[in-house]
Amino acid sequence: MIVNERETPEGLLVAVCDEDVLGETFETEEISLTVTEEFYGGDGADEGAVVDSLARADVANIVGREAVELAIAEGFIDEANVLEVGSTLHAQLLRM
């Protein structure tokens, strides 16, 4: 997986994606999602590093089956809130 962390005025923004979705575009009739290098590109990360980043995130965008399923398994995302976009999964986390 790939993790990109950046500080914003709203807090820590974490973008996580599976390596194989970086640079891809996924679509449904209502949604088009492009996993850009600019937003999602970052460092390769194992599951522990992804969990650590998500635990510290104020906002997170997560794309890819492996990344989203890890976020669900670790309790960051409720499965009912996951979007299936084309052949991949997408979820967002907002801590208030």
Side-chain angles (χ1 to χ4, degrees), residues 20-64:
D20 65 338
V21 302
L22 190 62
E24 299 293 326
T25 297
F26 301 92
E27 296 181 331
T28 67
E29 289 183 20
E30 300 86 22
I31 299 170
S32 178
L33 172 66
T34 301
V35 187
T36 64
E37 175 74 34
E38 179 181 47
F39 188 79
Y40 288 94
D43 299 322
D46 62 17
E47 288 186 1
V50 171
V51 169
D52 179 61
S53 289
L54 291 175
R56 293 181 292 107
D58 294 296
V59 178
N61 287 276
I62 309 161
V63 180

Side-chain angles (χ1 to χ4, degrees), residues 10 12 14 51-60 75-77 92-96:
E10 292 76 28
L12 181 64
V14 174
V51 169
D52 179 61
S53 289
L54 291 175
R56 293 181 292 107
D58 294 296
V59 178
F76 295 110
I77 300 293
Q92 294 181 321
L93 167 71
L94 174 61
R95 238 181 229 111
M96 300 173 82

